[in-house]
Structure formats: structure tokens, C-alpha cells
Amino acid sequence: MNNLFTPYRLKNLELKNRVVMPPMCQYSVDLKDGIATDWHYVHYVSRAIGGTGLIIVEMTDVEPDGRISDNDLGLWSDEQIPALKKIVDAVHAHGAKIGIQIAHAGRKAEDAEVPVAPSAIAFDKGWQTPRALTTEEVKEMVAKFGRSVERAVRAGFDTIELHGAHGYLIHQFHSPLSNKREDEYGQDRTLFGREIIRAARANMPADMPLIMRVSAKEYVEGGYGIKESLEFVRAYRDEGVDMFDVSSGGEGPIGASGRPGTHAGYQVPLAREIRDTLDIPVMAVGRLDDAVLANAVVGNEDADLVAVGRGMLRNPYWAIEAESILRQPSTAPKQYAGGF
């Protein structure tokens, strides 16, 4: 039986355990130039020292107006590569693997003068009304994703994650709530995401895995559920995604009849349904901070990897502490061995 500390392999990505640090925005680029700072270096490298198998760098954007805030990371320029490469090299030196989440915030770009989106529909009251991208601009956006992926590969990342969840641009295209287009990208709402997958794969080594984060369920009045998400996930799988990072929500204000659960592991059934129905590896995320629960998710074959977010914000050594709780052999650095 597999457990949280069983090694895992996906294509050429070999992980020492099933523990993942998911992407979590730090909003810490004070110069607003998209370049990673000393904060990012310490933040990510400390989790590698703490025993995490796979670290995924926070949402990193394909153009300046694709950022949630101007304090976010970017990969729209070669000038942004060296600082990320420094992080990658240090994470590798401490025995972990590292990926990066490539994204565009679309209508949720809070600091953009005029955000862009599939259609000119605001996220909610008080949010800016975005400008609808032209068909040619959509095609150029696909190319921007491809160029950012190519820069990530040059920086040395082990895997790429595309952000297709939480109401950001790819999600906006495949949601009927935010995509009211009449061109080809409205007639087939998966087309934008599929073309980005194709662009990413064209700029990645063939044996490098491509991960995609998706919201498997919307909590908005009239939003989609697991039945609909299985269809677009199938399309993305067939286009070249190797693993899905299964989350939920983000596309509009939560409706009274569709509130998400707040209990531990509330998104795990969504991950399992995608895994079992489509026969594709998945990563589970969402209130999985308890080591015993995280271990059960893997042991019960609900998911292949487990992402620990808030728990790892509180404790960079979450993974080696979980080893102790689960009575696994300790991999703590010799400098910290006395603490575990």
C-alpha cells in the first residue's frame, strides 16, 4: 500500500514523497517588476529543507496586466529568469523538486487599468468591467503562455502547472458564466485552454509532466458541477495534461444554494471522481493539513499527491514533522535531527 512517504514518478519527475507545497501568492514583489526577491528564495527553499517532495511556485503571470496585483511574480521577460533559477537550484540542492504555476488573472487582475476577459462581464459588484479580448488577442495570449513556459523550462523547473481554476483567465474561458463569446472560443469553450496546453507542450521536453489546476465545481448560481468539469478535464487530458490539481470555486460570488463545505478534505471526492472516471493522476488540495488525513488520502487511493497549503505556511517543516507523526523514518537534516 502506498502512503504519504512512498516515492512517486510521473514521466521524468521523480518525487521522494507525495507531499506538495501548492502555489500560494506572496504578493511580495515590492519593485513591481515581476522578479522574485529574497523573500521568495527563503520561502521556497525553507520548504525544501523541510522535506517537501514537490514545491510549486506561486501564480506567475504571462504579462504585466495578467497579475492579480502588481506585487506578483511574472515570466513575461528574460530578465525574470535568473532570480527563479537561483531558487530552483537551491531547492534541488536540498533534495526537492520544483514546479511553477503559469497564469493570467483575466478579469480578476485588480491593478490592471482595464482588465481583459473572454467577455465584458465583471466578476462581482465593485469589480471593474473587463474588456473582451478580440479573437486575435486571444491567439496572442496563447502565444504568451507558450513563451512563459519556455522561460520556465530555461530556469530549470521540473514541471509546469497551468492555472485553470479559481476564476482566472483559463477558467473564465471554460465557464459558461463568463464566456459569452460568439467566435470559435465561445463555440468551444475548451479551445483556449487546449491551445494553451498545446503551446506549453511545444515548449517543454517531451518527458516533462504538465499539471493543470482546475476548479471541479463552481459555487455560483447557474455554475457547473462535476459532470460538466469531467468533460472539459477530459478534453484537457486528451490535449496533453498529465495530472490535474483538483480544487473548486472562484468564478463569481457564492450562491446561497451552493456553498462549499468547510470540513477537512471537502474537495477530495472531486479529485477521486476525476481520477477514477478519467484514469488520470490527480493532486488533492484543501484543508489537508492533518498528517493522518493526508496519509489516508494517498492510502485510500483518493489521490496520487497531497497538497498542504495553510499548514505549510504555518510550518515549513510540515513534511518531516508528518514523518514523525506517521512513524516513518526521519529525513530531517542532520542540523535539525534533534528536534524530530
Side-chain angles (χ1 to χ4, degrees):
M1 293 282 296
N2 291 324
N3 63 53
L4 197 58
F5 293 97
T6 305
Y8 182 75
R9 179 170 185 145
L10 182 66
K11 287 190 166 178
N12 73 343
L13 178 66
E14 296 186 27
L15 305 177
K16 63 183 179 181
N17 59 43
R18 310 296 183 98
V19 181
V20 180
M21 179 184 185
M24 294 175 284
C25 288
Q26 298 296 291
Y27 306 109
S28 296
V29 184
D30 295 333
L31 296 180
K32 301 183 179 182
D33 56 6
I35 296 174
T37 67
D38 287 346
W39 174 268
H40 297 95
Y41 181 89
V42 172
H43 175 63
Y44 293 113
V45 177
S46 63
R47 274 69 186 178
I49 293 169
T52 308
L54 174 63
I55 293 161
I56 304 179
V57 170
E58 66 204 77
M59 181 171 169
T60 302
D61 299 288
V62 303
E63 65 174 6
D65 282 347
R67 295 173 289 180
I68 300 171
S69 83
D70 286 349
N71 298 106
D72 292 346
L73 293 177
L75 255 180
W76 62 79
S77 167
D78 286 359
E79 295 178 358
Q80 294 156 336
I81 295 174
L84 290 171
K85 187 177 189 305
K86 181 181 177 183
I87 293 171
V88 169
D89 291 346
V91 165
H92 286 161
H94 291 287
K97 297 298 172 67
I98 183 167
I100 188 169
Q101 186 184 72
I102 303 298
H104 191 293
R107 68 181 185 175
K108 295 177 84 172
E110 297 175 21
D111 288 342
E113 185 175 348
V114 181
V116 298
S119 302
I121 304 169
F123 172 67
D124 198 3
K125 294 177 181 177
W127 289 70
Q128 289 192 77
T129 298
R131 177 180 65 79
L133 292 159
T134 67
T135 302
E136 287 306 310
E137 286 174 329
V138 174
K139 294 181 185 299
E140 176 54 28
M141 190 68 74
V142 170
K144 288 177 181 179
F145 270 86
R147 290 193 290 270
S148 292
V149 168
E150 189 273 334
R151 292 186 183 102
V153 171
R154 277 196 277 150
F157 285 97
D158 302 295
T159 184
I160 305 295
E161 177 171 284
L162 298 174
H163 201 346
H166 300 165
Y168 299 119
L169 192 60
I170 296 175
H171 183 171
Q172 289 164 32
F173 268 87
H174 68 231
S175 174
L177 295 167
S178 46
N179 183 352
K180 306 293 186 182
R181 300 176 69 92
E182 295 181 355
D183 66 358
E184 59 193 301
Y185 294 98
Q187 293 162 10
D188 177 357
R189 288 192 294 268
T190 70
L191 180 59
F192 181 62
R194 290 191 294 108
E195 288 186 344
I196 287 173
I197 292 163
R198 207 175 303 154
R201 292 248 62 113
N203 285 283
M204 297 167 60
D207 58 353
M208 177 185 284
L210 178 62
I211 303 170
M212 189 173 197
R213 174 165 272 192
V214 293
S215 286
K217 181 179 181 180
E218 293 180 316
Y219 302 108
V220 191
E221 296 296 343
Y224 65 72
I226 186 65
K227 178 181 177 182
E228 293 80 9
S229 64
L230 283 169
E231 292 307 309
F232 68 71
V233 167
R234 178 180 283 108
Y236 295 154
R237 178 202 65 183
D238 293 347
E239 200 65 62
V241 174
D242 299 296
M243 169 178 276
F244 287 93
D245 176 0
V246 183
S247 188
S248 62
E251 186 55 5
I254 294 172
S257 63
R259 291 191 174 276
T262 57
H263 53 278
Y266 73 99
Q267 295 176 143
V268 171
L270 298 171
R272 177 156 194 157
E273 187 151 359
I274 288 173
R275 183 181 192 267
D276 290 351
T277 302
L278 300 179
D279 191 26
I280 183 102
V282 298
M283 182 190 312
V285 63
R287 300 186 181 273
L288 298 174
D289 301 353
D290 181 88
V292 174
L293 173 59
N295 191 53
V297 169
V298 175
N300 291 332
E301 299 185 341
D302 293 319
D304 302 275
L305 302 178
V306 175
V308 179
R310 292 176 181 85
M312 218 170 280
L313 288 179
R314 293 192 298 270
N315 179 10
Y317 312 110
W318 187 93
I320 51 178
E321 190 168 90
E323 289 174 340
S324 177
I325 292 169
L326 298 171
R327 299 182 180 179
Q328 296 290 312
S330 178
T331 61
K334 63 181 180 181
Q335 298 90 335
Y336 294 165
F340 297 93

